[in-house]
Amino acid sequence: MTEEATWYLGPRGALRALPAPEPGVVATLTRHGGVHQAISGARVMDVTGHRHEYTLTWNYLEEHEWQWLQALHTRLVPGPHFLVNPLRTNRLSVQSSTGKGVLTAPGAAGGTRSTAPGFMASNPHWMPVRDWPEGAGPLGSHCIHHPGHTRGGAHVVRFDYYTGGTPVFAGEALSASIYLKAEDRRPLSLVVDWYDSAGQQTGASEVRTIRLTSAWTRWLHKATVPEGTATAVFALIVPADPTAFFFAAPQLQSGPLATSWEIGGGTARVVVDQLQTSSPRYPLTDCSLTLLEA
């Protein structure tokens, strides 16, 4: 189970706690895309997505403390790896938590594979609309809307499925929450799926079935991570129903209670860019590790 203010880094199912980094951790959320200038001089910005860049530094590490970093950097342990960032509560990605980077399931009519997949939907008719639950705070402006469907049976919405899920720890209490509303009292279910270190689904939490109303309501689903679980995927099970519904502000966090919603980033899938080392005093080592979100 995680401890407060502890960073974890490593492959799926084998994350290791890192030594406490020095103050001044850098976690920059970098915009990717381009800026174009018209003949009139007006500028247009194309945003293809946002990705974190992390820099963590340590002073006076013992050999056993920095060898794990070296093993990751030299690809003795191949990546990409998972990083757990204790500075953020919401372990979902920025894309999932904000409803960006929708990815419809392969083979779905009209489905497209996004360059920044966040949530994955087995139906292609999702769309952002200008509506936001007041209870989620003043940061958002758009939610995700689905007009309803009657074909193909139940549909599923999965958060961070295509990025490998959310890293979790055996025995850890999880709280999955999301704001939902509908044009009628339609049923919907919340569940957390469990995956092992090989990426195979091993089971799921109990399913919580709810009935939505026309008012924004935050729904909470609690689960405890079973042994042998490496990652979790928070999901909505949507039965075939012509009633439209809306969702916003999903959150997956450690602990039995849901705190105020925040933009995600508590975990990320990363690649090791650089590991700079020096030895100010033998046999101790100073390190600076740069990670790029995959």
Side-chain angles (χ1 to χ4, degrees), residues 176-232:
S177 58
I178 190 169
Y179 284 85
L180 294 156
K181 73 173 184 177
E183 296 174 356
D184 199 355
R185 289 181 56 83
R186 70 165 300 152
L188 189 147
S189 299
L190 311 179
V191 67
V192 179
D193 295 328
W194 310 123
Y195 293 81
D196 62 17
S197 58
Q200 300 298 313
Q201 185 172 353
T202 57
S205 70
E206 293 185 3
V207 176
R208 183 185 182 187
T209 300
I210 59 178
R211 281 198 173 270
L212 308 186
T213 69
S214 58
W216 279 114
T217 303
R218 192 184 196 192
W219 296 92
L220 172 64
H221 183 51
K222 299 180 181 181
T224 300
V225 180
E227 292 291 333
T229 300
T231 58

Side-chain angles (χ1 to χ4, degrees), residues 105-129:
T112 56
R113 184 174 289 273
S114 166
T115 57
F119 71 91
M120 186 278 284
S122 58
N123 184 284
H125 302 296
W126 307 92
M127 64 189 74
V129 297

Side-chain angles (χ1 to χ4, degrees), residues 125-152:
H125 302 296
W126 307 92
M127 64 189 74
V129 297
R130 186 173 290 277
D131 193 357
W132 183 257
E134 182 177 350
L139 297 180
S141 62
H142 287 71
C143 67
I144 301 299
H145 166 260
H146 188 275
H149 63 275
T150 56
R151 298 180 181 179

Side-chain angles (χ1 to χ4, degrees), residues 210-282:
I210 59 178
R211 281 198 173 270
L212 308 186
T213 69
S214 58
W216 279 114
T217 303
R218 192 184 196 192
W219 296 92
L220 172 64
H221 183 51
K222 299 180 181 181
T224 300
V225 180
E227 292 291 333
T229 300
T231 58
V233 173
F234 178 31
L236 310 178
I237 302 174
V238 186
D241 192 320
T243 303
F245 77 100
F246 307 78
F247 73 82
Q251 183 155 293
L252 183 63
Q253 63 186 105
S254 180
L257 299 176
T259 58
S260 298
W261 177 81
E262 67 174 40
I263 297 174
T267 63
R269 204 171 187 206
V270 298
V271 294
V272 178
D273 183 30
Q274 299 294 336
L275 177 64
Q276 298 180 357
T277 62
S278 61
S279 182
R281 182 189 303 167
Y282 178 81

Side-chain angles (χ1 to χ4, degrees), residues 29-30 34 37 60-61 64 84 89 91 109 117 121 133 141 148 165-166 174 179 185 198 208 244 256-257 261 264 274:
L29 187 59
T30 302
Q37 185 170 332
Y60 304 113
L61 292 184
H64 72 276
V84 175
T89 298
R91 286 200 192 162
S141 62
T166 302
L174 297 179
Y179 284 85
R185 289 181 56 83
R208 183 185 182 187
L257 299 176
W261 177 81
Q274 299 294 336

